[in-house]
Amino acid sequence: MGRISAFLGIILYMYPEKGGKHNKPHLHAFYGDEECEISIPDGEVLAGSLPARQLRNVQTFIDLREAELMLNWNLCMKGQDVIWIDPIR
């Protein structure tokens, strides 16, 4: 598991999930007591939920940082440490 970024009260993680429940590269977003799994290629919600504003912020982050997120996804799937990604401002 690796914390990859945090901004506006949202914390993003990636977990190694070989053979996991999602076939798409994705991240886990936490905001308070809520959790959401969001696809990296398209920002689709795969599971869970976040308040609308926080979901839009994560989807914007994905749009702006897709290359870095995919690099982290590949590292994570190889069991390697993920790299911190600077938050959006």
Side-chain angles (χ1 to χ4, degrees):
M1 166 173 85
R3 184 174 171 169
I4 58 171
S5 196
F7 54 90
L8 303 171
I10 303 163
I11 303 171
L12 303 178
Y13 287 90
M14 276 190 188
Y15 306 100
E17 294 184 353
K18 291 185 180 177
K21 61 184 176 180
H22 303 301
N23 294 325
K24 291 182 177 184
H26 65 279
L27 55 81
H28 297 253
F30 294 85
Y31 181 76
D33 292 335
E34 298 188 57
E35 177 184 359
C36 190
E37 298 171 32
I38 304 170
S39 168
I40 295 169
D42 56 17
E44 173 189 4
V45 174
L46 302 172
S49 66
L50 291 178
R53 178 177 290 170
Q54 284 70 28
L55 178 59
R56 283 191 307 273
N57 287 333
V58 174
Q59 290 167 328
T60 297
F61 179 83
I62 290 170
D63 286 343
L64 295 172
R65 304 284 200 264
E66 184 175 358
E68 294 164 278
L69 288 166
M70 288 307 299
L71 172 63
N72 267 342
W73 177 260
N74 291 325
L75 291 171
C76 192
M77 293 305 105
K78 293 176 184 176
Q80 298 175 356
D81 292 335
V82 293
I83 299 166
W84 178 259
I85 301 173
D86 288 333
I88 57 176
R89 305 223 183 265

